């Protein structure tokens, strides 16, 4: 009880401080790979209302009626940091706030950005419907210029959320009232930054980077929002402040810059070199739009049963990261918290992570790029019933948005759209999702379904194995050394695509239960809990070395980096306190792998 009271007091102190100081939570720029100087963060205290019967439109919510409480955006109402902390189901939630457009933006077009809202979002300004978006993990925007008044404007947002119908990707969010097993607290409504941005009639919409490591070239496609009648695009690339490329071209809807870099610096785990760039659109001597960004030169590929990174064999030393926080649930309490998760992982000797059953926010990927941390990009496919044909359309739209958003991050080495899809009740779903992913991005490694049955032959063949007996665990992979090799498949071999000699990745293992100071009856981990720290470390060492020292295994992913609610198999606690001396794990994990010879 004493610890609980201290926690409440700390939360009250944080929320009161924000309210009194009028400071903005999560105030950092939300789109670091493409920055404009002018923007306005809309995070902070909003008016808020529950809509349990989903009748808010009939009750006049779009006109600003019915709001009876406050919420701290961008934290979901289930979270403590939101100031609400409501953990039960709710069909819909509503948000209201007044927005005023800066005088200096007069004559500009105004874009309203939502980084992520779970799940179906509808927006009104001054009582007029602006538009809607479906999907809980990807950003979306509206041009709201025509809806705005010169003075104050009422912004109304509705988020509908029902993850129990099988038509909504929700990842590890619990479909029961409470969290249980490997399912955790839900997230409803706004859970990432909301912001405004001024642009002109013609502006840079996005860019896509295709590095070619062998010859030091980079192809950059720059996309305008619409085809300009005239004007020029200029691209300036620098490294450590020194210009490496400068060129201008007549602006088109899509303009290609082919960059040749002398003595290119490659992005890698231990040397994450990045090139800065500025792209501007001008007419005559007048700059119409300017954005800054960055890119990295690196190559990931498969040769036989090995993964090569920038031409050298790479053993994947990875950890499972599910992106949950005790006070913010899906939302990190600060930008520093995102960075810290990468730092503690690297300190444990992991080179990267599976970003599991969630599309992580852009700021996490920014820090991965900056710190040299490789990741598998995944989607929150759990909750979507693939026996229903419409699920395929729901999934591909949202998964495509995620790939499009994150395409330029050098830290992402592979895509894994599905997790543990054991069956295939609607034929062709997994196969077509794999092909769809390949069409969107052929530059990265792709796994069709991690840990479940492989319905196609993926770039990397993976499996999950939570056997806790080190000897049995090791023996499970001895078949890889036979001729022809025999792979371990969790759940049996029926309906599984044949192994064709590609890299074999143990993408989940371990999960060792360790919570000696916790008395929660719901707490769990895999296997029998070790009786001492020494026993835990011995088991971890033997399980991990069984993979590192097998010359036919290309990587591992340990479950997991930190505890989450009742699942207490992390190397850190849920509030990011170390359970052990990190140096112990660093020494184990960073041993040279047999396949790296």
């Amino acid at each position: 009880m004493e610890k609980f009271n201290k926690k409440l007091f700390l939360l009250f102190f944080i929320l009161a401080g924000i309210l009194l100081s009028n400071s903005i939570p999560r105030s950092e720029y939300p789109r670091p790979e493409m920055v404009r100087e002018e923007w306005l963060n809309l995070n902070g205290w909003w008016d808020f209302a529950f809509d349990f019967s989903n009748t808010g439109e009939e009750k006049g919510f779009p006109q600003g009626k019915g709001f009876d409480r406050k919420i701290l955006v961008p934290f979901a109402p289930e979270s403590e940091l939101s100031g609400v902390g409501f953990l039960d189901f709710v069909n819909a939630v509503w948000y209201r706030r007044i927005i005023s457009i800066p005088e200096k933006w007069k004559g500009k077009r105004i874009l309203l950005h939502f980084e992520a809202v779970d799940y179906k979002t509808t927006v009104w300004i001054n009582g007029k419907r602006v538009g809607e978006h479906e999907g809980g993990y990807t950003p979306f925007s509206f041009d709201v210029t025509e809806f705005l008044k010169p003075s104050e404007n009422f912004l109304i947002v509705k988020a509908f959320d029902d993850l129990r119908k099988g038509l909504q990707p929700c990842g590890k969010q619990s479909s029961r009232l409470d969290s249980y097993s490997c399912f955790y607290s839900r997230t409803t409504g706004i859970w990432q930054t909301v912001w405004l941005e001024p642009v002109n009639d013609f502006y840079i919409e996005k860019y896509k980077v295709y590095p070619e490591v062998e010859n030091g070239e980079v192809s950059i496609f720059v996309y305008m929002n619409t085809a300009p009648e005239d004007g020029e695009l200029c691209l300036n690339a620098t490294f450590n402040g020194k210009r490496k490329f400068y060129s201008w071209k007549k602006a088109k809807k899509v303009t290609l810059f082919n960059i040749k870099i002398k003595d290119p610096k490659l992005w890698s785990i231990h040397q994450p070199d990045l090139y800065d760039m500025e792209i501007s659109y001008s007419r005559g001597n007048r700059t119409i739009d300017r954005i800054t960004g960055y890119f990295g030169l690196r190559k990931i590929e498969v040769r036989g049963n090995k993964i090569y990174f920038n031409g050298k064999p790479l053993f994947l030393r990875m950890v499972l990261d599910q992106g949950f926080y005790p006070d913010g649930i899906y939302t990190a309490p600060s930008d520093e918290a995102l960075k810290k998760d990468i730092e503690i992982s690297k300190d444990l000797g992991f080179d990267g992570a599976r970003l599991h059953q969630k599309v992580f926010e852009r700021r996490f990927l920014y820090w991965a790029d900056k710190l040299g941390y490789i990741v598998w990009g995944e989607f929150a496919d759990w909750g979507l019933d693939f026996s229903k044909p419409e699920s395929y359309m729901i999934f591909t739209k949202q998964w495509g948005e995620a790939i499009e958003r994150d395409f330029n991050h050098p830290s992402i080495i592979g895509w894994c759209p599905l997790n543990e899809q054991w069956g295939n009740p609607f034929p062709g779903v997994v196969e077509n999702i794999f092909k769809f992913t390949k069409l969107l991005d052929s530059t990265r490694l792709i796994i069709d379904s991690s840990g479940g049955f492989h319905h196609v032959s993926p770039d990397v063949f993976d499996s999950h194995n939570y056997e806790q007996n080190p000897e049995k665990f090791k023996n499970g992979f001895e078949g890889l050394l036979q001729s022809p090799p025999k792979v371990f498949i969790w759940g049996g071999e029926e309906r599984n695509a044949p192994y064709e000699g590609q890299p074999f990745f143990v993408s989940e293992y371990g999960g060792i239960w360790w919570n000696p100071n916790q008395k929660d009856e719901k707490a769990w981990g895999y296997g029998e809990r070790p009786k001492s720290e020494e026993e835990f470390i011995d088991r971890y060492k033997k399980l991990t070395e069984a993979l590192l020292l097998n010359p036919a295994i290309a990587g591992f992913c340990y479950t997991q980096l930190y505890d989450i609610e009742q699942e207490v198999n992390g190397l850190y606690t849920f509030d990011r306190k170390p359970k052990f001396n990190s140096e112990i794990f660093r020494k184990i994990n960073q041993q040279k792998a047999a396949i790296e010879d």
Side-chain angles (χ1 to χ4, degrees), residues 197-236:
E197 180 181 41
V199 293
N200 288 294
D201 290 340
F202 298 97
Y203 61 90
I204 299 162
E205 189 173 65
K206 64 180 180 179
Y207 64 89
K208 296 187 79 169
V209 178
Y210 293 84
E212 298 177 34
V213 167
E214 292 86 353
N215 51 14
E217 293 184 355
V218 185
S219 298
I220 299 180
F221 291 84
V222 180
Y223 297 76
M224 299 289 291
N225 68 311
T226 190
E229 298 173 0
D230 56 8
E232 299 171 346
L233 276 170
C234 178
L235 192 150
N236 181 37

Side-chain angles (χ1 to χ4, degrees), residues 341-441:
D341 280 353
I342 296 174
E343 290 175 334
I344 65 175
S345 178
K346 289 175 72 71
D347 195 46
L348 288 161
F350 297 110
D351 295 329
R354 280 185 65 201
L355 307 184
H356 191 48
Q357 281 296 298
K358 178 187 174 185
V359 179
F360 281 45
E361 59 178 283
R362 304 194 224 213
R363 296 290 308 187
F364 183 94
L365 295 172
Y366 165 76
W367 285 118
D369 293 341
K370 295 286 284 186
L371 298 175
Y373 193 65
I374 56 176
V375 300
W376 282 88
E378 300 189 16
F379 197 67
D381 65 292
W382 283 12
L384 197 55
D385 183 355
F386 283 106
S387 68
K388 300 177 179 180
E390 60 265 49
S391 292
Y392 176 75
M393 300 301 294
I394 293 169
F395 181 89
T396 50
K397 175 184 178 294
Q398 296 176 33
W399 176 231
E401 289 177 357
I403 293 175
E404 180 72 15
R405 190 199 75 170
D406 296 338
F407 185 88
N408 294 327
H409 290 283
S411 56
I412 298 178
I413 61 166
W415 300 115
C416 184
L418 304 170
N419 183 69
E420 293 183 7
Q421 290 290 335
W422 298 111
N424 191 5
F426 196 77
V429 166
V430 176
E431 294 92 329
N432 282 314
I433 287 174
F434 178 82
K435 292 175 184 176
F436 174 75
T437 307
K438 275 283 188 187
L439 284 172
L440 292 181
D441 187 358

Side-chain angles (χ1 to χ4, degrees), residues 450-464:
S450 179
F453 295 134
H454 292 294
H455 296 269
V456 297
S457 182
D459 296 331
V460 174
F461 201 103
D462 82 321
S463 183
H464 301 172

Side-chain angles (χ1 to χ4, degrees), residues 44 56 78 184 193 205 271 274 279 284 297 313 440 492 538 553 567:
E78 291 89 349
Y184 323 116
T193 293
E205 189 173 65
Q271 191 69 36
L274 294 169
I279 305 172
L297 282 168
L440 292 181
D538 181 67
I553 291 179
E567 187 173 352

